[in-house]
Amino acid sequence: MATPWRWAAAALLLIVWAALPPVRGFSLPLQRPADCGGHRYFDISRLACAPCGAHQRPSAGGSSCVCQPGYRMVSSNGGSSVVCEKCPENMTGVTQDGWNCITCPKGLTSEGTCKCPNNEILVERSIDGILLDEAFCLHCNGSEQSFSASDASGNRCVRCEQTFINASKSCDCSSPNILTGGLCFSAGENLPPKGVATVRFAQLGITLTSAWFLKNLQSSASACWLYSNLTACQALGNMCVMNVNSLSYSSTDACGLFQYIYVNTARLGIAHSVAFWRHNLPWLYYGDRPGLASQVLEANNVPTVFSFKGTDKDVKLQFIAASFDAAGNFLKWQSLEGGILQLCPDTQTKLNAAYAFGTTYQQSCKISVSKILLDFANPIFYDLFLEYNGDNGQQYLWDVPVLNLNLQYSEMFVNQGSNMNSWLLTRRFFLVDALSGKENDLEKLPKVLRIASKITISIRLASHNQRGTIYPPLLTIAYTDVLVENPETQSVMVSFSVSYEMNQSEAQVQTDITLGVLGGLAVLWSLLKTAGWKRRTGSSIIDLQTVLKFLLFYAGDLANVFFIITVGTGIYWLVFFKGQQFVSVLLPLPSQEEDFVTYIACAFSLKALQFLQLLVSQLTVDIFFIDWERPKSRVVKGVEGEGVIKSAAAPVSIWRTYFVANEWNEIQTVRKINPLFQVFAVLFFLEVVGFSNLALMDSSSSLARSSESYIAPWSRILRFGVSAAVWLAVAGLQIIFFSVCYERFVEDKISQFVDLCCVSNISVFLLSHSCFGYYIHGRSVHGHADTNMEEMNRNLKREAENLCSQRGLLPNTDGQTFQMSISRKMRLHYDRIHETLTRRRGPARLLDSSVNTFEQSTRAYNTMNKFLSSFINHAHKEMDYVVKDKLLFERILGMEFMEPIEKSLFYSDEGQSFSDVLYYGNETTLLIFDILFFSIVDLASQSFVLAAILTYLQQEIFRFIRSTLGQKNLASKTLVDERFLI
């Protein structure tokens, strides 16, 4: 029964909902308290400016209204809910709380309240709190009995400052006494020189008078000089640090006054046996002249041992800092952990990673000026130390010197050069100075803000030491001066880093020696290759071509030298840096890796030149397939146009030659490894397994890293070492697998090609040089290969049962592959036939018009086939050959000692070195080229994934070029129609 009513109610709700205005987003104008002007206040509930009522003005904070001078408050509920009433004519003043009117005998302030002269306090109520009709000013008794004066607010009488009492025996500092910075000094005292209360911001070219310096510089210097006041001395030192410790002995700025006091207080002695640390004074400088930096940084080791694996104190840098405020008060000792010096925000774990020994740390970010002003309203000054434990368990501190890059000594930036002997080291520093840049009013924003935009802590391993000791750390700091105009829109880039270094001169000398020795051997090896090449070309004249060939050989060999050095260097640092416990080696700095990167670039450039030369040589080889098949019978056919019937030899099938040519075409780009698997396997181990983490510049040798932990920057040397080692390991395993397992039990395409030639009754005649090449003896032991399946199986069975002769070129041998050194006479005869073989691709005027091109080419092909088969059969006594074995040195050097003058020389070649004209026989060159290409891309992009993709693409591009052009050369040299090369 209730169902119809429910439907009616639902329909009514839908109608009401449809009648409602659509929901939309809202916007409102942005207004700030500063935008409200002198007659409006900032309504915190509406976040907008609102007008004040009659006889009202905005309060000091701007978020409410107060009565104008001459008016008292009747009621106030905040905001504009204020009721004001005009004071009577005889009571024009207003009490300090604003609620009552009162007579002011000595005048009014700008706020409408009563005012009193200096050293008097305002009294508005009696002791029991009853409001007086007329306020009066009570003079503070500055006589010897009380020595009192009004406080800063003018509400109480307090004891006056001791220097007033010392100078005048009262609270007045009248002439001839000197009042400065709220202190009173007797005119008869030996005061320090008059200070210059200016701060120089050299980056902006601005020198301004600082309100803080104007107020405190002279008084701090005088109190420090006359009374050795500890706080005053610290405050004076801080003002010198705010002037970036710049020294000029002709100036009496903060640092000039500090140096004046330092020089003239030698009688006070030194603190902690430190010659530069005067009693009562802060330690600001390591000497007052440049030149002592090398003694400070290299004369002594920090007496503790660091390691990569050990207790917490052994593997961490325990930095601790004494902190002071601008007035010179000591605040506390504080550890640097927790991001004390790191202006960029981050997690505690990542911030504290900066002090893990051996971890290169880098952090940078952009921070708004408004945030800096909010977080660092008052500067904090630091004296930095390294904490360590002595042999007795006592904790000790080692001072950490500061290299301030902004420091000027006699108007020169002495710390910005690389010459350590010109540096002037200091001690104290700050992060942000928003105080010295305030020009007139300390309550207002500074005109200039000085920020530590770059902080670097440098850790240097002690020389000739295997126990992990270090020289004193060095903190390098650079400040940026910012002219404050619009803090909300202004920002500054800041960075913090920790770097580790050691003396790399010994490693550089060893690298240079290795490069010199291997480079010299490469020259000798290239000369031997050139001599072998000259022998194989049949030329004995040293011409321009010989010089160019030598340079090409040397380019390839020198590329191998650079590759060996870089891979060895990368693996050396990888093993010895990551595997050490007590630190004996540290990674080169990025600037010290430039030579290493140059070596890789040279290796890649030279290897690319060798690879291109290899491609050209493989694409221009002379090759011919010798068909041993002879006609089995004769056929009868008519002669066209003559009506005569003649018998002729039955044609021999060309399909066997086409088949062999196709197989040769396929194996031209076969390699000893699978390139696609190689790329994927390397990428898997680097990115998935995590071997890439070994290239990080930290002490950890773990392959897995937490997402919450700090990730150190990459080392280019380690990155190359890891990737090259993984690439070589995967390639080595592939080569072993294919040579030991796959080629033996599954498929060996090179050996199978040799077998195919024998089964097809086809021999391969290859010339890679003018007078040198390779011969694959494929003559069938059965006499015929162009037969049916039954006879083919019968022949193979007979051969398997040793019922026929062996396949070798020589009787009773199995040797089918040979290296050839042919005589000049043999080469000339070959060229004459080859010229007619290729003439069909020459100009039309060179062709015989009486015979068509196809018949001419066929005749030339038959001539070449007949010549080469007869040559192999020793039919040409004037161009005969002998078969022999190569000497051991000939095999090692890859050259031939004997020159084929009368007879050609066939060298037995069990290693099937004819693969040298294929990709298969040049795997080393291809592998090194791939590694170098991968590394060059990775070093440029810092991405293993991109390097792997581009490496595979270049492999496929060059494989396509080699396959396509090699196929054209094969068709051209063998007369096999390219359409049959599938």
Side-chain angles (χ1 to χ4, degrees):
M1 293 295 290
T3 302
W5 290 104
R6 291 179 180 176
W7 283 108
L12 180 62
L13 287 175
L14 287 174
I15 293 172
V16 172
W17 177 80
L20 292 175
V23 177
R24 58 182 178 84
F26 297 95
S27 65
L28 63 155
L30 172 62
Q31 292 184 334
R32 297 181 174 89
D35 301 330
C36 296
H39 302 286
R40 297 189 299 169
Y41 75 103
F42 186 74
D43 188 340
I44 60 175
S45 66
R46 296 174 56 245
L47 300 179
C49 296
C52 288
H55 312 300
Q56 298 175 15
R57 58 184 174 85
S59 64
S63 61
S64 62
C65 297
V66 295
C67 295
Q68 292 180 348
Y71 291 81
R72 73 179 185 90
M73 287 189 297
V74 177
S75 65
S76 175
N77 294 316
S80 63
S81 302
V82 178
V83 178
C84 298
E85 179 182 81
K86 185 174 178 60
C87 291
E89 294 294 334
N90 61 337
M91 303 178 73
T92 55
V94 181
T95 57
Q96 290 182 325
D97 57 21
W99 287 94
N100 301 98
C101 297
I102 195 169
T103 302
C104 298
K106 295 188 178 182
L108 302 175
T109 66
S110 60
E111 302 295 324
T113 59
C114 301
K115 71 176 181 179
C116 291
N118 290 334
N119 213 29
E120 293 184 1
I121 60 173
L122 177 65
V123 180
E124 296 177 335
R125 298 177 183 273
S126 62
I127 295 176
D128 56 0
I130 299 176
L131 181 68
L132 303 177
D133 292 334
E134 181 178 348
F136 66 91
C137 296
L138 180 65
H139 183 77
C140 293
N141 188 355
S143 63
E144 189 170 353
Q145 287 76 16
S146 60
F147 291 128
S148 66
S150 62
D151 61 4
S153 63
N155 295 326
R156 295 177 58 213
C157 291
V158 295
R159 179 179 172 86
C160 57
E161 215 283 330
Q162 185 64 35
T163 56
F164 285 76
I165 301 172
N166 294 340
S168 63
K169 300 299 182 182
S170 69
C171 289
D172 293 326
C173 192
S174 56
S175 180
N177 296 323
I178 301 171
L179 177 65
T180 176
L183 301 181
C184 185
F185 299 97
S186 173
E189 293 180 304
N190 182 22
L191 297 176
K194 179 69 175 177
V196 179
T198 59
V199 180
R200 183 179 180 186
F201 298 95
Q203 293 177 357
L204 302 175
I206 296 176
T207 300
L208 58 82
T209 300
S210 169
W212 177 261
F213 282 36
L214 198 62
K215 178 181 180 181
N216 298 295
L217 177 61
Q218 195 65 40
S219 58
S220 298
S222 300
C224 180
W225 169 249
L226 293 175
Y227 310 125
S228 296
N229 183 277
L230 299 181
T231 306
C233 292
Q234 296 292 334
L236 175 62
N238 291 341
M239 284 183 270
C240 176
V241 175
M242 284 190 274
N243 247 332
V244 291
N245 295 86
S246 294
L247 278 178
S248 177
Y249 287 97
S250 61
S251 173
T252 56
D253 59 3
C255 292
L257 291 178
F258 179 86
Q259 283 299 110
Y260 174 85
I261 296 173
Y262 177 86
V263 171
N264 290 280
T265 54
R267 66 185 185 279
L268 298 178
I270 58 177
H272 299 291
S273 302
V274 178
F276 316 115
W277 195 350
R278 190 81 75 233
H279 265 307
N280 303 327
L281 294 179
W283 180 8
L284 296 189
Y285 297 94
Y286 288 88
D288 58 353
R289 281 180 172 78
L292 297 175
S294 58
Q295 300 179 28
V296 174
L297 296 175
E298 296 181 341
N300 297 296
N301 305 334
V302 177
T304 188
V305 177
F306 293 96
S307 67
F308 283 174
K309 302 174 181 64
T311 62
D312 187 59
K313 290 197 175 289
D314 293 332
V315 300
K316 278 194 173 183
L317 294 165
Q318 305 288 337
F319 285 112
I320 188 172
S323 57
F324 301 82
D325 64 10
N329 298 302
F330 175 78
L331 300 178
K332 61 180 176 179
W333 286 103
Q334 56 187 137
S335 169
L336 293 193
E337 290 191 347
I340 299 301
L341 301 187
Q342 291 131 294
L343 295 178
C344 298
D346 214 329
T347 63
Q348 284 288 95
T349 301
K350 293 182 178 180
L351 291 173
N352 293 342
Y355 308 110
F357 187 78
T359 298
T360 298
Y361 187 90
Q362 292 179 357
Q363 183 197 47
S364 62
C365 65
K366 185 176 287 188
I367 304 180
S368 68
V369 171
S370 60
K371 177 174 174 55
I372 294 174
L373 291 173
L374 180 64
D375 295 344
F376 298 93
N378 298 305
I380 304 296
F381 298 84
Y382 301 97
D383 291 344
L384 189 60
F385 298 89
L386 180 65
E387 181 183 347
Y388 66 95
N389 291 328
D391 296 334
N392 56 359
Q394 173 69 37
Q395 290 181 319
Y396 292 94
L397 300 178
W398 194 279
D399 54 283
V400 176
V402 176
L403 181 67
N404 190 334
L405 300 183
N406 298 75
L407 182 149
Q408 294 185 63
Y409 181 81
S410 299
E411 307 299 323
M412 295 178 61
F413 292 98
V414 294
N415 289 344
Q416 293 185 3
S418 58
N419 183 9
M420 186 184 298
N421 292 322
S422 67
W423 292 351
L424 179 61
L425 299 180
T426 57
R427 283 284 298 132
R428 185 166 292 186
F429 65 96
F430 60 88
L431 296 181
V432 177
D433 174 19
L435 183 61
S436 65
K438 295 181 178 181
E439 196 168 16
N440 298 314
D441 190 346
L442 291 176
E443 300 301 321
K444 294 183 178 180
L445 290 177
K447 181 178 181 180
V448 180
L449 181 67
R450 180 167 278 163
I451 306 167
S453 57
K454 185 177 182 180
I455 299 177
T456 302
I457 299 177
S458 302
I459 310 298
R460 194 167 182 221
L461 192 67
S463 301
H464 308 296
N465 193 293
Q466 302 296 321
R467 291 290 297 173
T469 56
I470 62 173
Y471 290 124
L474 173 66
L475 187 142
T476 303
I477 190 166
Y479 291 100
T480 296
D481 300 333
V482 179
L483 186 63
V484 180
E485 296 174 338
N486 189 346
E488 298 294 335
T489 60
Q490 288 180 280
S491 60
V492 62
M493 181 66 71
V494 298
S495 66
F496 177 84
S497 61
V498 180
S499 64
Y500 293 80
E501 60 180 302
M502 63 176 290
N503 189 349
Q504 300 288 345
S505 59
E506 184 177 351
Q508 185 62 47
V509 169
Q510 293 175 352
T511 301
D512 293 341
I513 292 175
T514 305
L515 181 60
V517 172
L518 295 182
L521 293 177
V523 172
L524 297 178
W525 189 245
S526 300
L527 288 173
L528 287 174
K529 284 184 176 180
T530 307
W533 174 81
K534 292 293 291 182
R535 177 66 57 86
R536 292 179 174 183
T537 56
S539 173
S540 58
I541 301 174
I542 300 178
D543 51 8
L544 181 60
Q545 185 184 14
T546 305
V547 176
L548 292 177
K549 198 66 179 179
F550 166 75
L551 293 178
L552 287 174
F553 283 136
Y554 185 58
D557 293 333
L558 192 58
N560 294 337
V561 169
F562 281 123
F563 180 75
I564 291 171
I565 290 176
T566 51
V567 171
T569 301
I571 294 178
Y572 167 84
W573 287 112
L574 179 64
V575 172
F576 286 93
F577 176 74
K578 291 291 186 177
Q580 61 188 339
Q581 178 176 356
F582 292 104
V583 184
S584 59
V585 295
L586 290 175
L587 290 172
L589 296 173
S591 60
Q592 296 172 326
E593 294 179 332
E594 296 302 325
D595 288 344
F596 181 82
V597 175
T598 302
Y599 289 165
I600 296 177
C602 290
F604 172 72
S605 302
L606 296 173
K607 186 56 69 173
L609 187 63
Q610 181 192 20
F611 176 61
L612 294 176
Q613 186 267 339
L614 174 67
L615 278 183
V616 172
S617 65
Q618 290 192 358
L619 294 173
T620 55
V621 297
D622 292 320
I623 182 172
F624 192 84
F625 298 118
I626 306 173
D627 191 351
W628 295 98
E629 194 74 15
R630 296 295 176 260
K632 292 184 178 180
S633 60
R634 301 180 70 82
V635 296
V636 177
K637 66 179 181 176
V639 179
E640 186 178 352
E642 298 181 3
V644 179
I645 298 176
K646 294 183 178 181
S647 64
V652 176
S653 173
I654 195 63
W655 288 106
R656 292 172 296 100
T657 302
Y658 285 172
F659 186 58
V660 171
N662 266 290
E663 289 302 312
W664 176 264
N665 189 47
E666 288 182 7
I667 67 172
Q668 287 191 98
T669 55
V670 170
R671 294 182 57 174
K672 293 182 178 180
I673 63 173
N674 185 316
L676 182 60
F677 175 82
Q678 176 76 21
V679 170
F680 273 107
V682 169
L683 200 57
F684 172 79
F685 282 109
L686 289 176
E687 294 292 350
V688 179
V689 177
F691 277 91
S692 61
N693 291 323
L694 295 177
L696 297 175
M697 298 178 71
D698 58 24
S699 58
S700 174
S701 55
S702 173
L703 300 182
R705 301 298 173 93
S706 169
S707 59
E708 299 178 356
S709 63
Y710 170 74
I711 303 300
W714 302 104
S715 164
R716 289 181 289 183
I717 290 180
L718 291 186
R719 199 170 175 91
F720 175 79
V722 170
S723 61
V726 172
W727 197 286
L728 289 172
V730 173
L733 291 176
Q734 277 207 81
I735 292 173
I736 293 173
F737 169 75
F738 278 106
S739 60
V740 175
C741 300
Y742 188 84
E743 292 179 354
R744 179 172 296 183
F745 301 109
V746 181
E747 181 183 32
D748 183 358
K749 292 189 176 183
I750 303 301
S751 298
Q752 286 177 351
F753 178 77
V754 177
D755 292 337
L756 176 64
C757 289
C758 188
V759 172
S760 303
N761 205 15
I762 300 289
S763 292
V764 182
F765 191 87
L766 273 165
L767 288 178
S768 58
H769 300 72
S770 298
C771 296
F772 181 83
Y774 306 93
Y775 174 66
I776 302 174
H777 186 61
R779 190 171 187 175
S780 175
V781 296
H782 308 290
H784 294 280
D786 195 0
T787 182
N788 57 33
M789 182 183 296
E790 182 180 357
E791 186 175 353
M792 177 67 73
N793 290 332
R794 189 184 305 116
N795 290 339
L796 293 177
K797 183 177 180 181
R798 290 178 66 239
E799 189 173 354
E801 296 173 353
N802 289 325
L803 298 179
C804 58
S805 60
Q806 295 176 292
R807 293 182 176 183
L809 175 63
L810 297 179
N812 301 319
T813 63
D814 287 326
Q816 293 178 260
T817 56
F818 300 88
Q819 294 180 359
M820 301 185 300
S821 287
I822 61 175
S823 63
R824 289 294 300 171
K825 186 183 295 185
M826 165 64 185
R827 178 68 201 201
L828 291 174
H829 197 79
Y830 177 88
D831 288 341
R832 281 196 296 269
I833 302 174
H834 190 266
E835 182 181 357
T836 59
L837 181 66
T838 58
R839 186 179 295 175
R840 65 187 177 96
R841 290 176 171 78
R845 60 185 175 81
L846 298 178
L847 300 178
D848 188 350
S849 59
S850 62
V851 183
N852 62 52
T853 304
F854 178 75
E855 291 181 352
Q856 186 175 0
S857 298
T858 303
R859 188 180 300 116
Y861 170 81
N862 292 330
T863 303
M864 179 65 80
N865 190 76
K866 183 178 180 181
F867 167 68
L868 292 179
S869 59
S870 61
F871 171 73
I872 298 299
N873 284 333
H874 299 279
H876 303 277
K877 298 303 180 183
E878 74 282 4
M879 292 183 293
D880 203 359
Y881 68 92
V882 294
V883 180
K884 58 178 300 183
D885 292 328
K886 266 193 171 184
L887 300 175
L888 177 61
F889 280 141
E890 287 181 315
R891 295 179 183 274
I892 294 174
L893 299 177
M895 61 184 299
E896 297 75 37
F897 294 160
M898 294 183 62
E899 186 174 356
I901 300 176
E902 296 294 333
K903 294 184 179 182
S904 299
L905 300 174
F906 276 42
Y907 297 98
S908 298
D909 181 24
E910 297 178 357
Q912 298 176 340
S913 61
F914 69 87
S915 61
D916 287 349
V917 299
L918 308 172
Y919 263 10
Y920 189 88
N922 295 276
E923 186 59 49
T924 301
T925 299
L926 297 174
L927 181 63
I928 294 176
F929 178 75
D930 288 344
I931 294 174
L932 292 172
F933 184 90
F934 180 90
S935 301
I936 285 291
V937 175
D938 174 62
L939 291 178
S941 64
Q942 297 288 288
S943 172
F944 286 128
V945 176
L946 179 62
I949 293 173
L950 294 183
T951 300
Y952 180 69
L953 287 179
Q954 69 85 12
Q955 288 175 342
E956 288 300 301
I957 290 172
F958 282 115
R959 187 195 64 79
F960 176 78
I961 294 173
R962 173 66 178 86
S963 179
T964 303
L965 298 183
Q967 179 175 307
K968 292 183 178 298
N969 180 68
L970 180 64
S972 172
K973 299 296 177 60
T974 62
L975 272 185
V976 173
D977 197 313
E978 194 172 353
R979 291 173 296 179
F980 292 97
L981 297 176
I982 304 173

